[in-house]
Amino acid sequence: MASDPVRRKAARTATIVAVPIALAVLAVSALAFGGFGSKAPPPEATGPVAMTTRGLTDDTVQLCQLVIANLPDSVAGHARRPVTAGSEQNAAYGDPPITVECGTPPPTVGTTDEVFKFVSVGDDGKLYGVCWYPAAGDGRTVWTSVDRTVPVTVTVPGSPDGSGQLVAPFSVAVGENIPLRDAGAIPTGCSQTPPTS
């Protein structure tokens, strides 16, 4: 049976049109899903983070144990990691690690220095507000609570911009478990009483 020249021409035209379209779809898919040699980001480290212990009073140890025990399992997608020392007073998240230290020395806050109150909702539905003082430098921002009887320090690596968003989730554990300081000891710009529901 002789082939139909009209059908042959139509098949050839369809092939000429279909091949470039298929190649274009393939290229767009590869770019969208990480093809052409791009590498997936390496997985975050999960091993212990090097931290040191601090000599704390028995009362401070008890408060810190409550804080550390009530910290979230993850913060902004960064999973909690073990620490090499002081697991009752230290915690860490992600890679490079965000670190939490309870019972740190209080920072010196000037009368015009800015402090920031981060409020978070606890599992009990209450709002917990904690005032934090930031000190940026060395490729990190060190945030220390300034309205509680026992200071807690959160160190966030990287730019100070947006670092407060990584500190706010710790306000519940701190606000729930560490009492407020006397009103006269709380820096200007931070109210003594956190809001409640």
Side-chain angles (χ1 to χ4, degrees), residues 141-181:
T141 306
V142 178
W143 293 82
T144 305
S145 61
V146 292
D147 62 342
R148 303 288 154 168
T149 57
V150 174
V152 174
T153 295
V154 178
T155 301
V156 180
S159 168
D161 296 336
S163 63
Q165 294 174 0
L166 297 172
V167 176
F170 301 113
S171 290
V172 173
V174 174
E176 265 185 326
N177 297 293
I178 300 182
L180 282 163
R181 297 171 71 186

mmCIF file of all heavy atoms in Angstrom, residues 141-181:
data_model
loop_
_atom_site.group_PDB
_atom_site.id
_atom_site.type_symbol
_atom_site.label_atom_id
_atom_site.label_comp_id
_atom_site.label_asym_id
_atom_site.label_seq_id
_atom_site.Cartn_x
_atom_site.Cartn_y
_atom_site.Cartn_z
ATOM 1 N N THR A 141 23.490 38.417 66.356
ATOM 2 C CA THR A 141 22.802 39.333 67.265
ATOM 3 C C THR A 141 22.508 38.564 68.548
ATOM 4 O O THR A 141 21.956 37.467 68.514
ATOM 5 C CB THR A 141 21.490 39.866 66.655
ATOM 6 O OG1 THR A 141 21.784 40.447 65.378
ATOM 7 C CG2 THR A 141 20.858 40.914 67.552
ATOM 8 N N VAL A 142 22.913 39.154 69.664
ATOM 9 C CA VAL A 142 22.715 38.545 70.972
ATOM 10 C C VAL A 142 21.543 39.261 71.648
ATOM 11 O O VAL A 142 21.615 40.459 71.927
ATOM 12 C CB VAL A 142 23.991 38.650 71.836
ATOM 13 C CG1 VAL A 142 23.754 38.055 73.218
ATOM 14 C CG2 VAL A 142 25.163 37.962 71.139
ATOM 15 N N TRP A 143 20.465 38.531 71.868
ATOM 16 C CA TRP A 143 19.259 39.060 72.498
ATOM 17 C C TRP A 143 19.190 38.538 73.932
ATOM 18 O O TRP A 143 19.262 37.327 74.151
ATOM 19 C CB TRP A 143 18.011 38.587 71.754
ATOM 20 C CG TRP A 143 17.865 39.125 70.364
ATOM 21 C CD1 TRP A 143 18.463 38.663 69.229
ATOM 22 C CD2 TRP A 143 17.037 40.217 69.960
ATOM 23 N NE1 TRP A 143 18.055 39.395 68.151
ATOM 24 C CE2 TRP A 143 17.183 40.360 68.564
ATOM 25 C CE3 TRP A 143 16.177 41.084 70.647
ATOM 26 C CZ2 TRP A 143 16.502 41.332 67.840
ATOM 27 C CZ3 TRP A 143 15.503 42.049 69.934
ATOM 28 C CH2 TRP A 143 15.669 42.178 68.544
ATOM 29 N N THR A 144 19.033 39.436 74.905
ATOM 30 C CA THR A 144 18.954 39.017 76.301
ATOM 31 C C THR A 144 17.688 39.578 76.929
ATOM 32 O O THR A 144 17.377 40.762 76.754
ATOM 33 C CB THR A 144 20.194 39.475 77.094
ATOM 34 O OG1 THR A 144 21.365 38.993 76.427
ATOM 35 C CG2 THR A 144 20.169 38.950 78.515
ATOM 36 N N SER A 145 16.966 38.732 77.649
ATOM 37 C CA SER A 145 15.760 39.204 78.339
ATOM 38 C C SER A 145 16.175 40.151 79.454
ATOM 39 O O SER A 145 17.167 39.916 80.151
ATOM 40 C CB SER A 145 14.949 38.023 78.893
ATOM 41 O OG SER A 145 15.717 37.295 79.831
ATOM 42 N N VAL A 146 15.410 41.234 79.615
ATOM 43 C CA VAL A 146 15.806 42.263 80.589
ATOM 44 C C VAL A 146 14.719 42.548 81.623
ATOM 45 O O VAL A 146 14.931 43.372 82.515
ATOM 46 C CB VAL A 146 16.209 43.575 79.875
ATOM 47 C CG1 VAL A 146 17.507 43.391 79.097
ATOM 48 C CG2 VAL A 146 15.099 44.082 78.959
ATOM 49 N N ASP A 147 13.578 41.883 81.532
ATOM 50 C CA ASP A 147 12.496 42.162 82.485
ATOM 51 C C ASP A 147 12.231 40.990 83.416
ATOM 52 O O ASP A 147 11.250 40.974 84.144
ATOM 53 C CB ASP A 147 11.222 42.543 81.736
ATOM 54 C CG ASP A 147 10.697 41.430 80.836
ATOM 55 O OD1 ASP A 147 11.478 40.506 80.517
ATOM 56 O OD2 ASP A 147 9.518 41.489 80.450
ATOM 57 N N ARG A 148 13.106 39.977 83.419
ATOM 58 C CA ARG A 148 12.925 38.773 84.220
ATOM 59 C C ARG A 148 14.031 38.661 85.267
ATOM 60 O O ARG A 148 15.134 39.169 85.079
ATOM 61 C CB ARG A 148 12.927 37.528 83.326
ATOM 62 C CG ARG A 148 11.870 37.576 82.241
ATOM 63 C CD ARG A 148 10.493 37.399 82.808
ATOM 64 N NE ARG A 148 9.456 38.013 81.993
ATOM 65 C CZ ARG A 148 8.162 37.792 82.168
ATOM 66 N NH1 ARG A 148 7.751 36.975 83.126
ATOM 67 N NH2 ARG A 148 7.277 38.400 81.415
ATOM 68 N N THR A 149 13.732 37.969 86.364
ATOM 69 C CA THR A 149 14.708 37.849 87.453
ATOM 70 C C THR A 149 15.940 37.048 87.051
ATOM 71 O O THR A 149 17.006 37.212 87.637
ATOM 72 C CB THR A 149 14.059 37.203 88.693
ATOM 73 O OG1 THR A 149 13.509 35.928 88.320
ATOM 74 C CG2 THR A 149 12.964 38.091 89.268
ATOM 75 N N VAL A 150 15.796 36.165 86.077
ATOM 76 C CA VAL A 150 16.933 35.404 85.541
ATOM 77 C C VAL A 150 17.029 35.704 84.048
ATOM 78 O O VAL A 150 16.089 35.435 83.300
ATOM 79 C CB VAL A 150 16.749 33.886 85.766
ATOM 80 C CG1 VAL A 150 17.863 33.104 85.073
ATOM 81 C CG2 VAL A 150 16.699 33.564 87.252
ATOM 82 N N PRO A 151 18.142 36.294 83.597
ATOM 83 C CA PRO A 151 18.278 36.590 82.170
ATOM 84 C C PRO A 151 18.414 35.321 81.323
ATOM 85 O O PRO A 151 19.011 34.331 81.742
ATOM 86 C CB PRO A 151 19.566 37.412 82.093
ATOM 87 C CG PRO A 151 19.811 37.899 83.480
ATOM 88 C CD PRO A 151 19.255 36.833 84.384
ATOM 89 N N VAL A 152 17.841 35.395 80.131
ATOM 90 C CA VAL A 152 17.983 34.348 79.122
ATOM 91 C C VAL A 152 18.545 35.019 77.877
ATOM 92 O O VAL A 152 18.067 36.083 77.468
ATOM 93 C CB VAL A 152 16.630 33.677 78.808
ATOM 94 C CG1 VAL A 152 16.772 32.686 77.661
ATOM 95 C CG2 VAL A 152 16.083 32.974 80.053
ATOM 96 N N THR A 153 19.562 34.420 77.282
ATOM 97 C CA THR A 153 20.208 34.987 76.101
ATOM 98 C C THR A 153 19.987 34.072 74.905
ATOM 99 O O THR A 153 20.202 32.861 74.990
ATOM 100 C CB THR A 153 21.715 35.174 76.350
ATOM 101 O OG1 THR A 153 21.888 36.140 77.387
ATOM 102 C CG2 THR A 153 22.428 35.660 75.095
ATOM 103 N N VAL A 154 19.544 34.663 73.800
ATOM 104 C CA VAL A 154 19.373 33.948 72.537
ATOM 105 C C VAL A 154 20.331 34.576 71.534
ATOM 106 O O VAL A 154 20.264 35.786 71.283
ATOM 107 C CB VAL A 154 17.920 34.041 72.022
ATOM 108 C CG1 VAL A 154 17.783 33.330 70.678
ATOM 109 C CG2 VAL A 154 16.944 33.466 73.046
ATOM 110 N N THR A 155 21.221 33.769 70.968
ATOM 111 C CA THR A 155 22.168 34.259 69.978
ATOM 112 C C THR A 155 21.731 33.775 68.603
ATOM 113 O O THR A 155 21.580 32.569 68.378
ATOM 114 C CB THR A 155 23.591 33.763 70.295
ATOM 115 O OG1 THR A 155 23.949 34.220 71.602
ATOM 116 C CG2 THR A 155 24.594 34.295 69.280
ATOM 117 N N VAL A 156 21.511 34.753 67.701
ATOM 118 C CA VAL A 156 21.029 34.459 66.356
ATOM 119 C C VAL A 156 22.139 34.790 65.363
ATOM 120 O O VAL A 156 22.567 35.946 65.279
ATOM 121 C CB VAL A 156 19.758 35.275 66.022
ATOM 122 C CG1 VAL A 156 19.271 34.965 64.613
ATOM 123 C CG2 VAL A 156 18.665 35.018 67.052
ATOM 124 N N PRO A 157 22.645 33.801 64.604
ATOM 125 C CA PRO A 157 23.697 34.087 63.630
ATOM 126 C C PRO A 157 23.153 34.862 62.439
ATOM 127 O O PRO A 157 21.960 34.818 62.143
ATOM 128 C CB PRO A 157 24.163 32.691 63.206
ATOM 129 C CG PRO A 157 23.004 31.794 63.467
ATOM 130 C CD PRO A 157 22.250 32.387 64.619
ATOM 131 N N GLY A 158 24.058 35.580 61.765
ATOM 132 C CA GLY A 158 23.673 36.294 60.554
ATOM 133 C C GLY A 158 23.312 37.746 60.816
ATOM 134 O O GLY A 158 23.629 38.320 61.858
ATOM 135 N N SER A 159 22.614 38.329 59.854
ATOM 136 C CA SER A 159 22.246 39.732 59.893
ATOM 137 C C SER A 159 21.281 40.024 61.038
ATOM 138 O O SER A 159 20.419 39.204 61.355
ATOM 139 C CB SER A 159 21.584 40.125 58.568
ATOM 140 O OG SER A 159 20.971 41.386 58.672
ATOM 141 N N PRO A 160 21.392 41.214 61.651
ATOM 142 C CA PRO A 160 20.431 41.563 62.702
ATOM 143 C C PRO A 160 19.020 41.780 62.162
ATOM 144 O O PRO A 160 18.044 41.653 62.909
ATOM 145 C CB PRO A 160 20.999 42.859 63.295
ATOM 146 C CG PRO A 160 21.981 43.380 62.319
ATOM 147 C CD PRO A 160 22.441 42.229 61.485
ATOM 148 N N ASP A 161 18.902 42.080 60.867
ATOM 149 C CA ASP A 161 17.585 42.297 60.274
ATOM 150 C C ASP A 161 16.744 41.034 60.374
ATOM 151 O O ASP A 161 17.129 39.979 59.869
ATOM 152 C CB ASP A 161 17.708 42.715 58.804
ATOM 153 C CG ASP A 161 18.419 44.043 58.624
ATOM 154 O OD1 ASP A 161 18.415 44.843 59.574
ATOM 155 O OD2 ASP A 161 18.985 44.275 57.543
ATOM 156 N N GLY A 162 15.613 41.137 61.026
ATOM 157 C CA GLY A 162 14.700 40.013 61.141
ATOM 158 C C GLY A 162 15.075 39.000 62.209
ATOM 159 O O GLY A 162 14.368 38.020 62.402
ATOM 160 N N SER A 163 16.185 39.234 62.919
ATOM 161 C CA SER A 163 16.609 38.249 63.918
ATOM 162 C C SER A 163 15.621 38.172 65.083
ATOM 163 O O SER A 163 15.500 37.128 65.734
ATOM 164 C CB SER A 163 18.019 38.550 64.429
ATOM 165 O OG SER A 163 18.065 39.805 65.097
ATOM 166 N N GLY A 164 14.902 39.256 65.341
ATOM 167 C CA GLY A 164 13.915 39.246 66.418
ATOM 168 C C GLY A 164 12.810 38.225 66.196
ATOM 169 O O GLY A 164 12.252 37.689 67.155
ATOM 170 N N GLN A 165 12.500 37.931 64.934
ATOM 171 C CA GLN A 165 11.463 36.933 64.637
ATOM 172 C C GLN A 165 11.878 35.546 65.117
ATOM 173 O O GLN A 165 11.042 34.694 65.401
ATOM 174 C CB GLN A 165 11.177 36.895 63.135
ATOM 175 C CG GLN A 165 10.549 38.164 62.629
ATOM 176 C CD GLN A 165 10.392 38.169 61.115
ATOM 177 O OE1 GLN A 165 10.766 37.215 60.435
ATOM 178 N NE2 GLN A 165 9.832 39.232 60.577
ATOM 179 N N LEU A 166 13.181 35.314 65.218
ATOM 180 C CA LEU A 166 13.677 34.023 65.694
ATOM 181 C C LEU A 166 13.754 33.978 67.219
ATOM 182 O O LEU A 166 13.935 32.915 67.795
ATOM 183 C CB LEU A 166 15.045 33.732 65.083
ATOM 184 C CG LEU A 166 15.051 33.598 63.558
ATOM 185 C CD1 LEU A 166 16.475 33.509 63.028
ATOM 186 C CD2 LEU A 166 14.246 32.391 63.121
ATOM 187 N N VAL A 167 13.616 35.130 67.871
ATOM 188 C CA VAL A 167 13.661 35.208 69.330
ATOM 189 C C VAL A 167 12.258 35.116 69.924
ATOM 190 O O VAL A 167 12.056 34.520 70.984
ATOM 191 C CB VAL A 167 14.354 36.515 69.774
ATOM 192 C CG1 VAL A 167 14.341 36.672 71.284
ATOM 193 C CG2 VAL A 167 15.786 36.554 69.249
ATOM 194 N N ALA A 168 11.294 35.693 69.230
ATOM 195 C CA ALA A 168 9.921 35.761 69.741
ATOM 196 C C ALA A 168 9.373 34.408 70.212
ATOM 197 O O ALA A 168 8.715 34.351 71.261
ATOM 198 C CB ALA A 168 9.005 36.377 68.686
ATOM 199 N N PRO A 169 9.619 33.281 69.506
ATOM 200 C CA PRO A 169 9.053 32.005 69.962
ATOM 201 C C PRO A 169 9.523 31.556 71.344
ATOM 202 O O PRO A 169 8.897 30.706 71.968
ATOM 203 C CB PRO A 169 9.512 31.006 68.895
ATOM 204 C CG PRO A 169 9.770 31.828 67.675
ATOM 205 C CD PRO A 169 10.278 33.135 68.196
ATOM 206 N N PHE A 170 10.618 32.135 71.850
ATOM 207 C CA PHE A 170 11.124 31.740 73.163
ATOM 208 C C PHE A 170 10.438 32.507 74.297
ATOM 209 O O PHE A 170 10.625 32.181 75.470
ATOM 210 C CB PHE A 170 12.641 31.944 73.234
ATOM 211 C CG PHE A 170 13.392 31.158 72.189
ATOM 212 C CD1 PHE A 170 14.071 31.785 71.167
ATOM 213 C CD2 PHE A 170 13.394 29.764 72.221
ATOM 214 C CE1 PHE A 170 14.752 31.064 70.194
ATOM 215 C CE2 PHE A 170 14.067 29.031 71.255
ATOM 216 C CZ PHE A 170 14.747 29.676 70.245
ATOM 217 N N SER A 171 9.645 33.519 73.952
ATOM 218 C CA SER A 171 9.005 34.347 74.976
ATOM 219 C C SER A 171 8.043 33.562 75.848
ATOM 220 O O SER A 171 7.874 33.873 77.026
ATOM 221 C CB SER A 171 8.284 35.536 74.327
ATOM 222 O OG SER A 171 9.222 36.455 73.803
ATOM 223 N N VAL A 172 7.391 32.543 75.296
ATOM 224 C CA VAL A 172 6.435 31.769 76.094
ATOM 225 C C VAL A 172 7.152 31.036 77.221
ATOM 226 O O VAL A 172 6.780 31.156 78.400
ATOM 227 C CB VAL A 172 5.634 30.781 75.222
ATOM 228 C CG1 VAL A 172 4.783 29.871 76.098
ATOM 229 C CG2 VAL A 172 4.743 31.530 74.243
ATOM 230 N N ALA A 173 8.198 30.277 76.890
ATOM 231 C CA ALA A 173 8.910 29.507 77.915
ATOM 232 C C ALA A 173 9.520 30.422 78.979
ATOM 233 O O ALA A 173 9.494 30.108 80.172
ATOM 234 C CB ALA A 173 9.993 28.643 77.279
ATOM 235 N N VAL A 174 10.046 31.564 78.552
ATOM 236 C CA VAL A 174 10.639 32.505 79.501
ATOM 237 C C VAL A 174 9.542 33.173 80.332
ATOM 238 O O VAL A 174 9.615 33.229 81.561
ATOM 239 C CB VAL A 174 11.495 33.565 78.763
ATOM 240 C CG1 VAL A 174 11.993 34.633 79.735
ATOM 241 C CG2 VAL A 174 12.668 32.896 78.054
ATOM 242 N N GLY A 175 8.495 33.674 79.658
ATOM 243 C CA GLY A 175 7.426 34.388 80.352
ATOM 244 C C GLY A 175 6.632 33.513 81.311
ATOM 245 O O GLY A 175 6.181 33.975 82.360
ATOM 246 N N GLU A 176 6.464 32.259 80.969
ATOM 247 C CA GLU A 176 5.711 31.325 81.816
ATOM 248 C C GLU A 176 6.472 30.937 83.079
ATOM 249 O O GLU A 176 5.870 30.666 84.105
ATOM 250 C CB GLU A 176 5.444 30.017 81.049
ATOM 251 C CG GLU A 176 4.126 29.936 80.365
ATOM 252 C CD GLU A 176 3.918 28.557 79.729
ATOM 253 O OE1 GLU A 176 4.891 27.946 79.260
ATOM 254 O OE2 GLU A 176 2.773 28.117 79.713
ATOM 255 N N ASN A 177 7.799 30.892 82.989
ATOM 256 C CA ASN A 177 8.577 30.238 84.039
ATOM 257 C C ASN A 177 9.516 31.126 84.844
ATOM 258 O O ASN A 177 10.008 30.696 85.889
ATOM 259 C CB ASN A 177 9.385 29.090 83.426
ATOM 260 C CG ASN A 177 8.473 28.018 82.852
ATOM 261 O OD1 ASN A 177 7.769 27.340 83.594
ATOM 262 N ND2 ASN A 177 8.456 27.894 81.533
ATOM 263 N N ILE A 178 9.781 32.332 84.385
ATOM 264 C CA ILE A 178 10.677 33.212 85.141
ATOM 265 C C ILE A 178 9.904 34.455 85.567
ATOM 266 O O ILE A 178 9.316 35.149 84.725
ATOM 267 C CB ILE A 178 11.918 33.604 84.299
ATOM 268 C CG1 ILE A 178 12.693 32.342 83.894
ATOM 269 C CG2 ILE A 178 12.816 34.541 85.103
ATOM 270 C CD1 ILE A 178 13.951 32.605 83.097
ATOM 271 N N PRO A 179 9.905 34.774 86.876
ATOM 272 C CA PRO A 179 9.142 35.937 87.359
ATOM 273 C C PRO A 179 9.695 37.260 86.834
ATOM 274 O O PRO A 179 10.877 37.371 86.483
ATOM 275 C CB PRO A 179 9.310 35.866 88.885
ATOM 276 C CG PRO A 179 9.880 34.520 89.185
ATOM 277 C CD PRO A 179 10.556 34.037 87.950
ATOM 278 N N LEU A 180 8.818 38.260 86.817
ATOM 279 C CA LEU A 180 9.219 39.613 86.452
ATOM 280 C C LEU A 180 10.127 40.215 87.517
ATOM 281 O O LEU A 180 9.993 39.903 88.709
ATOM 282 C CB LEU A 180 7.987 40.511 86.301
ATOM 283 C CG LEU A 180 7.185 40.360 85.016
ATOM 284 C CD1 LEU A 180 5.807 40.978 85.179
ATOM 285 C CD2 LEU A 180 7.923 41.014 83.857
ATOM 286 N N ARG A 181 11.008 41.090 87.088
ATOM 287 C CA ARG A 181 11.828 41.873 88.015
ATOM 288 C C ARG A 181 10.957 42.950 88.648
ATOM 289 O O ARG A 181 9.858 43.251 88.168
ATOM 290 C CB ARG A 181 12.985 42.533 87.266
ATOM 291 C CG ARG A 181 13.954 41.551 86.641
ATOM 292 C CD ARG A 181 14.955 42.247 85.742
ATOM 293 N NE ARG A 181 15.913 43.029 86.520
ATOM 294 C CZ ARG A 181 16.821 43.828 85.981
ATOM 295 N NH1 ARG A 181 16.886 43.979 84.667
ATOM 296 N NH2 ARG A 181 17.663 44.491 86.738
#
